[in-house]
Amino acid sequence: MAPMPSLDDQPAASDLHHAVLAWYDMHARDLPWRRPEASAWSVMVSEFMLQQTPVARVLPVHEAWLERWPTPADLAAEPTGEAVRAWGRLGYPRRALRLHAAAVAITEQHDGVVPDSYDDLIALPGVGDYTAAAIASFAYGRRHVVLDTNVRRVFARAVAGVEFPATAVTRAERDLATGLLPDEEATAATWAVAVMELGALVCTASSPRCGACPIADVCRWRLAGHPAYDGPPRKAQAWAGTDRQCRGRLMAVLRESEGPVHASALAAAWDDAVQRERCLVGLIDDALVVRVGPESYALP
C-alpha cells in the first residue's frame, strides 16, 4: 500500500473544507440524532446502534428506544435483559449490554447527564476512542478527530491516493486527520460529520459516485486513475450457517418470549446440536442469556 503523503503533498485543507462543508449543507440527511433538539443521549444511543449497522435499520429502533428510555437514568433503572430485548434484530447484542452499563455509569457518576469531555466519555463502559470523539463532537460541538470507516475511506482516496485505508488506524492516518481538522471548534465538529456523510453517500466502498463528489477534482485516487487496492486481503463477512447466525436465531427466540424458554424451543430454531450448544454457552458467557432451570433459559 502506498505510504501516507506528507502535508505538503496533499490537496489544500481549506479547499477540502470549503467543498465538503458546502456539499454537506446541501445534502445532509435529516436524521433524528442530528437535529438541533436532539439530546446528547440520543447521539450516544445512535453511535452505539450504528456500529456495523445501516442507518435504515437503526432508525426505528432508535426511535423506540428514546421513547421508552429518554434519559440514561430511565435505561439504568431497567434490567439488562430489557435492553437486549429492545435491541431487536440490530445484531451484535453485546452493544445493548454495553450501552446499559454506560447508562448506569452516567447515572451514578455524572448525575444522569452524558458527559461532554472526551476523557469522561472514554472512561464509560463500552466507549472507545471513536465513540468518545463522536459523542463529544456531534453532541457538544467539540473539536476531535473522528475516524470511522467512512471517514477513513474518504481520506485514503482523496488525500493518500489509495482505494482503501489500512485494516487498522495507523499513526500516520491519525496525524493526517489531525492536520486536516479545522481550527474553529464548531466548524471542526461539522467537518467531522460532513466527511462521514460523504463517505456514506458518495465515496462508498463498492460503487463510489465520483461524478457527484465535491472534491473529485482534487482526489488523488481519481486523478491516479482509480488504482486497485493492493493491501492485505479484505475479509468478507459470511453469515449463512455461521455461529453469528445461530446466535441470532437463539436470541430471537428468547426476545420474543415473555418468560423462560425451554431448550426444545431453541432446538427447533437451530438443527445442529453441537453448534447450538456452543453458541448457547457463548451467549451465557457473554451475559446475554441466563440459565434459569435444568433445561430453560431467559434474557438476563
Side-chain angles (χ1 to χ4, degrees):
M1 182 174 291
M4 196 69 70
S6 69
L7 288 173
D8 292 339
D9 298 328
Q10 297 172 11
S14 59
D15 292 340
L16 294 177
H17 295 162
H18 176 77
V20 173
L21 292 172
W23 173 88
Y24 181 73
D25 189 51
M26 292 289 294
H27 299 282
R29 289 171 290 181
D30 177 21
L31 301 175
W33 47 86
R34 289 184 185 165
R35 294 170 187 162
E37 69 272 17
S39 66
W41 175 237
S42 173
V43 173
M44 184 172 187
V45 170
S46 76
E47 287 301 329
F48 272 74
M49 291 184 173
L50 288 166
Q51 295 166 19
Q52 304 181 72
T53 307
V55 166
R57 289 179 58 198
V58 166
L59 281 168
V61 183
H62 177 274
E63 180 181 8
W65 193 285
L66 268 292
E67 286 181 359
R68 181 172 180 180
W69 300 307
T71 70
D74 294 321
L75 176 60
E78 294 264 22
T80 56
E82 287 306 300
V84 174
R85 191 187 307 278
W87 199 255
R89 302 182 64 84
L90 285 182
Y92 302 98
R94 277 177 287 186
R95 291 179 292 170
L97 294 181
R98 293 168 184 156
L99 185 52
H100 184 279
V104 171
I106 291 169
T107 302
E108 294 177 348
Q109 302 169 19
H110 300 282
D111 297 323
V113 178
V114 176
D116 61 359
S117 78
Y118 173 93
D119 290 343
D120 286 339
L121 286 163
I122 203 169
L124 296 173
V127 175
D129 170 74
Y130 163 77
T131 304
I135 296 170
S137 180
F138 304 154
Y140 293 109
R142 301 291 188 260
R143 183 179 184 271
H144 289 286
V145 168
V146 183
L147 285 175
D148 84 331
T149 302
N150 290 314
V151 174
R152 296 181 64 220
R153 186 169 58 252
V154 171
F155 288 164
R157 291 174 178 172
V159 185
V162 296
E163 186 176 13
F164 296 112
T167 53
V169 178
T170 65
R171 175 60 184 271
E173 191 177 2
R174 184 169 293 280
D175 289 346
L176 169 64
T178 301
L180 291 173
L181 199 61
D183 293 331
E184 202 272 324
E185 194 168 52
T187 304
T190 305
W191 163 255
V193 70
V195 177
M196 189 177 297
E197 191 79 332
L198 183 64
L201 300 182
V202 175
C203 194
T204 57
S206 58
S207 302
R209 299 189 298 117
C210 296
C213 181
I215 54 174
D217 59 337
V218 294
C219 174
R220 298 185 72 201
W221 183 57
R222 188 190 71 82
L223 294 174
H226 304 97
Y229 175 75
D230 63 356
R234 293 168 57 82
K235 297 179 181 178
Q237 287 191 329
W239 173 249
T242 62
D243 281 5
R244 277 187 59 214
Q245 186 183 31
C246 178
R247 284 167 61 104
R249 292 269 183 88
L250 301 181
M251 288 298 297
V253 173
L254 291 160
R255 282 197 311 271
E256 292 163 8
S257 173
E258 294 185 1
V261 169
H262 191 268
S264 60
L266 300 179
W270 196 265
D271 293 336
D272 188 327
V274 173
Q275 187 179 26
R276 182 177 67 248
E277 181 62 24
R278 179 175 69 246
C279 290
L280 185 57
V281 169
L283 290 170
I284 293 171
D285 289 344
D286 290 340
L288 289 165
V289 175
V290 294
R291 189 191 298 269
V292 295
E295 291 189 87
S296 58
Y297 304 87
L299 296 177

